[in-house]
Amino acid sequence: MKSMKTALLIATAFGSAALLSACSETADEGAGETVASAAQEIRGDADTELSPDMSKISNPELVEIFDYIDENIDQHVVNLQNWIRQPSISNTGEGIQESAEMVKGFFDQLGCQKTDVYDVGETKWGQQGNPVVYAHCDEGADKTIVLYWMYDTMPITQPDLWKAPPFEAQLVEQEPYKKVLIGRGASNSKGPQMAMWNALMSIKAVTGTLPVNVIVVAEGDEERMSIGYNQFIADHPELFEDADAMYRFSSQSAGGGTSITGGSEGCLFVELITSGESWGRGPTRSNIHGGNKRSVDAPAWRHIQMLSKLVSPDGNRVLIPGFYDDMRPLTAAQEAKLRGMSEGFDPAVAADALGVARFISDDPYEVVSMARMGTSMNLDGIWGGNMFEGGSGAILPNRIVSKHNFRYVPNMTGPDIVEKLRAYLDDLGYADVEINVVGDVPFAEVTSDSEYHMAAYEALTAMGLTVGEPSSVEAIMGGYWPAYLFNGTQSPIDIPIVAGMAGTGGNSHAANEFYVIEGAGKVYGMAGAEKSVAAVLYSMAGKLGKPTT
């Protein structure tokens, strides 16, 4: 295998920093284009205090794979930069088709026998779904692992706040890290996913095969409630008949910890639409001149009055009658787990890192409990009439739309929330207000006591990370993602779901989204993230190795 590795280093000019001391033209098939790449001199270990315990990762193949990752980390970062430079914004459609083909190219390059871009057609919510990329890599292994990806990102809403252009993928210093990559999708979720792909490519380069068979499913609608993904799974469950478990990208904390999770909170998106036509007052055909407000009713003011009745004055409690009725109380085991998660959690530091003045509460347990098992109704956006910042322009809008996201937990359901919202609006005198359901993703409870969770625990602790031991304790909810399609909630597919890896990023959905390239303290950089993925896959295959002492 050594000769194969050496040949690849020479042929593709991956090389270490010493080999890449001058600019060279590098063909990157996975990115679908040729780019000029200078030596970036990425330090694999950088300033990290953590390191793998190689007495626990004693498989000689993994030792060589880790070395290969360190030697080729410059090119691995270029791979991520190329992907960031391809916009893939699902809410506008910008670059979606191109990005789907790009992702297919990644797995063509990996050598998967089957790769396809599926047109999912119209979804059950009445909208056209974005393409789903599917790949199957049969390595003749005993285990088959599904890798869940999303290739879509959020739009750029505040370009003037970015310290580097969002699609240039620049490397900048950002304390405490010497190098982070700035770009839309860097953290959510191209950074950790590219770490996965780089790890797979590194394994193949060193050994010629993967330790597990791999099925990849990459959706382009995660930021649109996974509407196309839902349709794809409904239409093609047979593509996952051989799957043993799912391994999902994730990240670690700044304190060197990570959670082996897999479940998801519930997430419902609705639009509330008020119009003069449906109300029977105000402008009925289009916006009119704002000077007419002296004699004409305003649907916009009525819409604001309606919204004020849906939540408490501080916005932190939902006032829809019966909203909390089905919310299941925390069990003693869940409460204990949340208290354990809150130990060492500093709300002030976390708030500053998030870019908020403070959390609703200053109590660490309450903040963690809200974040992991809480509910909310958000006002995500509102529009109508004069949408230009600054200047004037008198407008009396005829139509107002506000978008709202409900986060919910067991045993609440999206349809029930919509039903209660409809009844409340009717009782308040807003029967004419339309509720447009954009999408609904049910909560998914996933325990963490399978052999695959235990394998991930073994690998990640060997990487030096602090990991909560897997157990059959009722799941703690987390951020939204469509886990329900693989845990049998609304799908015939029911397999263990494992999420856990090193590396981190931040500012998802915000300006200056970033992924850590060179780690520091107890945070691994991109090389460490890739090594953790390789270790987890080898551990799932039962090939991590045994302690030498």
Side-chain angles (χ1 to χ4, degrees), residues 290-301:
N292 289 297
K293 178 63 197 81
R294 292 169 291 187
S295 57
V296 177
D297 291 310
W301 281 124

Side-chain angles (χ1 to χ4, degrees), residues 424-440:
Y424 187 41
L425 291 178
D426 291 351
D427 288 345
L428 292 173
Y430 299 105
D432 57 286
V433 174
E434 178 186 351
I435 302 175
N436 175 41
V437 178
V438 178
D440 176 37

Side-chain angles (χ1 to χ4, degrees), residues 13 44 95 146 165 179 205 215 236 258 282 304 364-365 372 452 483:
V146 180
K179 287 186 176 72
I215 295 174
H236 301 287
T258 188
I304 298 300
Y365 170 75
R372 301 304 295 266
Y452 302 97

Side-chain angles (χ1 to χ4, degrees), residues 9 11 20 159 168 217 229 301 414 496 521 549:
L9 288 173
L20 288 171
E168 286 190 6
V217 57
Y229 185 46
W301 281 124
T549 58

Side-chain angles (χ1 to χ4, degrees), residues 289-463:
H289 195 291
N292 289 297
K293 178 63 197 81
R294 292 169 291 187
S295 57
V296 177
D297 291 310
W301 281 124
R302 181 170 181 260
H303 195 98
I304 298 300
Q305 293 296 319
M306 172 192 67
L307 295 183
S308 71
K309 295 177 173 63
L310 299 182
V311 293
S312 59
D314 61 6
N316 295 334
R317 182 165 182 82
V318 181
L319 299 181
I320 300 169
F323 179 80
Y324 297 98
D325 286 355
D326 298 319
M327 184 176 176
R328 191 175 69 200
L330 293 177
T331 65
Q334 286 175 318
E335 184 174 343
K337 192 168 185 178
L338 288 167
R339 291 199 180 279
M341 294 170 66
S342 67
E343 292 179 5
F345 176 77
D346 188 326
V349 172
D352 180 68
L354 184 61
V356 299
R358 52 161 293 177
F359 291 108
I360 294 172
S361 171
D362 294 322
D363 179 76
Y365 170 75
E366 289 186 3
V367 175
V368 171
S369 184
M370 288 176 185
R372 301 304 295 266
M373 294 296 285
T375 62
S376 63
M377 177 186 181
N378 189 42
L379 173 58
D380 296 84
I382 185 167
W383 59 92
N386 187 338
M387 298 294 292
F388 301 98
E389 186 172 355
S392 59
I395 292 293
L396 176 54
N398 74 309
R399 186 174 184 268
I400 301 297
V401 181
S402 58
K403 191 182 294 288
H404 305 275
N405 174 214
F406 293 87
R407 303 281 168 147
Y408 62 91
V409 297
N411 285 318
M412 306 165 79
T413 70
D416 182 65
I417 292 172
V418 173
E419 183 178 336
K420 290 172 177 174
L421 173 61
R422 177 75 277 165
Y424 187 41
L425 291 178
D426 291 351
D427 288 345
L428 292 173
Y430 299 105
D432 57 286
V433 174
E434 178 186 351
I435 302 175
N436 175 41
V437 178
V438 178
D440 176 37
V441 172
F443 66 82
E445 292 187 281
V446 178
T447 56
S448 59
D449 58 347
S450 75
E451 63 176 285
Y452 302 97
H453 291 89
M454 294 305 299
Y457 175 78
E458 184 180 2
L460 295 172
T461 53
M463 288 292 299

Side-chain angles (χ1 to χ4, degrees), residues 37-342:
S37 171
Q40 304 189 82
E41 299 183 346
I42 306 299
R43 299 173 299 148
D45 293 335
D47 303 312
T48 54
E49 299 170 3
L50 300 180
S51 62
D53 182 347
M54 300 311 293
S55 70
K56 298 178 180 178
I57 306 175
S58 56
N59 188 316
E61 288 182 359
L62 270 171
V63 175
E64 192 170 356
I65 290 163
F66 283 14
D67 289 342
Y68 183 89
I69 288 170
D70 284 334
E71 292 164 2
N72 295 289
I73 191 62
D74 270 36
Q75 181 60 41
H76 291 184
V77 173
V78 170
N79 295 340
L80 175 57
Q81 289 175 309
N82 290 342
W83 196 14
I84 295 292
R85 288 165 184 157
Q86 171 58 61
S88 52
I89 302 173
S90 53
N91 281 289
T92 64
E94 181 184 356
I96 285 294
Q97 294 293 334
E98 296 87 344
S99 192
E101 292 295 338
M102 192 173 183
V103 172
K104 177 182 181 297
F106 293 154
F107 295 98
D108 285 333
Q109 189 176 355
L110 183 63
C112 297
Q113 295 89 345
K114 178 179 176 62
T115 61
D116 285 299
V117 176
Y118 284 80
D119 180 352
V120 301
E122 185 175 301
T123 71
K124 72 177 185 179
W125 286 282
Q127 301 177 59
Q128 170 69 35
N130 285 327
V132 170
V133 182
Y134 175 88
H136 191 285
C137 315
D138 186 349
E139 304 291 323
D142 294 333
K143 304 292 187 182
T144 298
I145 305 299
V146 180
L147 302 182
Y148 165 79
W149 277 25
M150 51 176 283
Y151 64 83
D152 65 315
T153 69
M154 286 292 286
I156 307 299
T157 55
Q158 296 174 307
D160 55 314
L161 298 183
W162 287 72
K163 57 187 175 185
F167 295 112
E168 286 190 6
Q170 291 185 18
L171 300 184
V172 304
E173 183 172 353
Q174 179 174 295
E175 290 297 330
Y177 311 110
K178 294 299 182 183
K179 287 186 176 72
V180 303
L181 186 150
I182 300 289
R184 174 56 82 224
S187 174
N188 184 18
S189 298
K190 293 180 177 180
Q193 290 169 173
M194 183 53 69
M196 278 186 146
W197 185 77
N198 285 335
L200 294 172
M201 292 292 289
S202 298
I203 295 170
K204 275 298 243 339
V206 171
T207 71
T209 188
L210 301 175
V212 294
N213 306 316
V214 170
I215 295 174
V216 181
V217 57
E219 66 163 316
D221 277 317
E222 201 273 350
E223 304 295 2
R224 296 202 310 159
M225 303 299 291
S226 298
I227 57 175
Y229 185 46
N230 176 290
Q231 193 65 47
F232 175 77
I233 298 300
D235 292 343
H236 301 287
E238 75 283 353
L239 294 177
F240 303 91
E241 288 177 349
D242 298 333
D244 293 301
M246 171 178 277
Y247 180 38
R248 185 178 71 86
F249 61 89
S250 65
S251 62
Q252 63 165 107
S253 71
T258 188
S259 299
I260 300 177
T261 59
S264 167
E265 65 192 346
C267 185
L268 168 71
F269 261 98
V270 302
E271 291 175 338
L272 299 180
I273 305 171
T274 301
S275 71
E277 181 180 12
S278 61
W279 182 27
R281 306 189 67 137
T284 58
R285 293 188 295 271
S286 71
N287 298 336
I288 62 175
H289 195 291
N292 289 297
K293 178 63 197 81
R294 292 169 291 187
S295 57
V296 177
D297 291 310
W301 281 124
R302 181 170 181 260
H303 195 98
I304 298 300
Q305 293 296 319
M306 172 192 67
L307 295 183
S308 71
K309 295 177 173 63
L310 299 182
V311 293
S312 59
D314 61 6
N316 295 334
R317 182 165 182 82
V318 181
L319 299 181
I320 300 169
F323 179 80
Y324 297 98
D325 286 355
D326 298 319
M327 184 176 176
R328 191 175 69 200
L330 293 177
T331 65
Q334 286 175 318
E335 184 174 343
K337 192 168 185 178
L338 288 167
R339 291 199 180 279
M341 294 170 66
S342 67

